[in-house]
Each structure stands twice: as structure tokens, then as C-alpha cells.
Amino acid sequence: LGSKKNLVNIDKLNILGILNETRGTDSCGITMDGEILKGIGSFKVYRDFVTYYDLSHPGYTTGVIGHTRKATFGGHTKENAHPFGFGSHKIKGVKEPVFEFVGAHNGTLLNHTELANTGKIELTKVIQEITEEEVEGKKIKKTVNKTVSKIDSEIILERLYKDGDYRVLSEYNGAAALIWQRIDKPNTMYFFHGESKKDEFDKEIVEERPLYYWKENKNSLYVSSLIDSLFVIGGCDDTIDEFEHNVVYEIT
């Protein structure tokens, strides 16, 4: 996250992504300017994904979010890969609308069905799939609708989007580190990671998922689940720290 879109350093972001492959190689993805690209199959590993897409800096927002996934709920499919997007936002000069809200989640939620029901969110969604069949020796492609279940990560992010507040962050049961962005605030991002008791009878409160940041300067911030990754791209003991737990950070 920076102050100017043309100063966003995609090379450093990609180094973070490659080093964070140890967090998961079931799929990966990136969101920039309210658009989302996801890598599965041959491009499920981040280094293969970014080599194929050869991304440059954003043209509208001043921040980019990437994700490497180790699946817990749901299969290794495109619809389950992060980041997730919701709503619609029109950027001046861009023909097609983009997502209004984008975000990614690390962790596993144990009550995502309850979170969906409480927030009046559907547990399934309809996606379009392209199928191919052969008729009289000719291959014909068809687009068919397919209903799939939403995973826990998509549900908590959709709650954050639709609720318009942070109440879901005190309702979930499990583990969460979250980064999200509203495209109508192109130079702002939101960060959260929780700590809680693993069991209601435990005395010890533990971190659910790590979330570190490197403040390169007053207008440049890099965030990672792994602290070592931030040292590799230039951080030091004086400029790297961890976000406080159970606090929502809105950083501009």
C-alpha cells in the first residue's frame, strides 16, 4: 500500500508472494484496481502465476493484495481461490465495472454457516462453467450455470462488505487474519487479525494467525503473514512490527 499508483512496487510484492508459498500452494491470486486474477492448476503456485500474467503497477488504486492458499474448507477450485470480490464500482474511463470490495482471509472458521445465516447471506452461489461436447463430429462449447457452496473465507468477507461494520469479527469462531479494500477508497486498506482461546475452558489466549507489517516510509507499507519475507525485501528490526490483535486498522 502506497501513496501513488505508479510507485507500487510489484517486484517486492511478488517476492513476498513467492516466499509466502510456504503458507500454501493449493491456489493463489491477486487483486488490483478492483479486478481479481486467480491461479489454479498449472498456475496454482504463485511464482508460476505471476510469470504467466506479468503484472505491472495498478492504474487506479495505490495498493495490491495477493494470497497463497492452503485449502481447509472447499476444493482447489477457481471459485474457492482468494481474493474474493463483491459489489460493483465504476471507475472513470474504465469500460466495465469492477468489484466494490475485495479481500483475502487466512485461517479456518468453525461457524461459517451460522455467520451466513445471521447475516442473511446465501450459502451457495451460481457460477458459469464452459463445457465442451461433440455433436456430429463438431466440438461445441456451451456455458452452463453451476451451483457451488461458499467457503468460510468468502462468507466472512461478504459479511464485512454487506454489514458495513465489524460486528462479524466478534461473532466468528476459529481463526482469522484479514486484509480488505474498498475501491471507492483507492488509497486505503483494512487489516485485522485475532487472538482468542482455543477452547472456552482454556486460560491462555493465543494468536489465531500472524500478520506483520514493514513501514518502508510514511507512504509505503508492506504486509505479510511471514515476518522473514519482510526482512528479505528491505525491512529491519526498527521498521518491522506486528499488528495488534483484535483491532481493525484503516490505513491510508
Side-chain angles (χ1 to χ4, degrees), residues 62-207:
T62 65
V64 183
I65 302 171
H67 189 267
T68 58
R69 180 181 186 231
K70 180 173 176 60
T72 49
F73 289 117
H76 308 168
T77 60
K78 186 175 181 180
E79 57 267 19
N80 289 342
H82 303 227
F84 293 98
F86 309 95
S88 180
H89 181 77
K90 188 72 174 69
I91 296 176
K92 186 177 180 180
V94 178
K95 186 176 180 181
E96 297 295 330
V98 299
F99 290 113
E100 182 180 14
F101 177 109
V102 291
H105 164 245
N106 284 339
T108 303
L109 306 180
L110 305 177
N111 64 333
H112 55 285
T113 299
E114 179 186 334
L115 294 179
N117 292 336
T118 303
K120 297 180 181 179
I121 289 172
E122 297 291 332
L123 285 164
T124 61
K125 60 182 176 181
V126 177
I127 63 169
Q128 290 189 330
E129 246 184 21
I130 298 175
T131 61
E132 191 173 76
E133 59 183 60
E134 193 168 315
V135 179
E136 295 180 353
K138 292 183 178 181
K139 290 184 177 180
I140 300 174
K141 288 185 178 181
K142 288 185 176 180
T143 301
V144 296
N145 290 334
K146 180 181 176 182
T147 300
V148 297
S149 298
K150 297 177 183 177
I151 62 171
D152 56 337
S153 299
E154 182 171 8
I155 287 169
I156 192 171
L157 286 162
E158 189 171 355
R159 277 287 308 269
L160 281 168
Y161 167 62
K162 289 195 169 180
D163 290 354
D165 56 37
Y166 307 135
R167 56 183 164 165
V168 69
L169 300 179
S170 61
E171 295 175 2
Y172 75 82
N173 178 15
L178 292 147
I179 301 177
W180 69 95
Q181 184 179 31
R182 299 194 63 92
I183 307 307
D184 58 351
K185 294 185 175 182
N187 64 337
T188 301
M189 272 190 193
Y190 300 83
F191 304 89
F192 171 89
H193 70 145
E195 65 174 4
S196 59
K197 296 179 180 180
K198 286 189 175 181
D199 186 274
E200 63 177 311
F201 301 107
D202 288 347
K203 292 183 179 180
E204 185 182 6
I205 296 175
V206 297
E207 179 178 67

Side-chain angles (χ1 to χ4, degrees), residues 5-18:
K5 55 186 181 292
N6 62 326
L7 296 181
V8 174
N9 192 317
I10 294 298
D11 291 335
K12 286 183 179 178
L13 179 81
N14 286 341
I15 291 170
L16 287 183
I18 291 168

Side-chain angles (χ1 to χ4, degrees), residues 228-245:
D228 290 348
S229 305
L230 298 172
F231 281 102
V232 170
I233 62 172
C236 64
D237 288 330
D238 293 334
T239 55
I240 292 175
D241 208 340
E242 184 176 22
F243 288 108
E244 289 186 31
H245 300 92

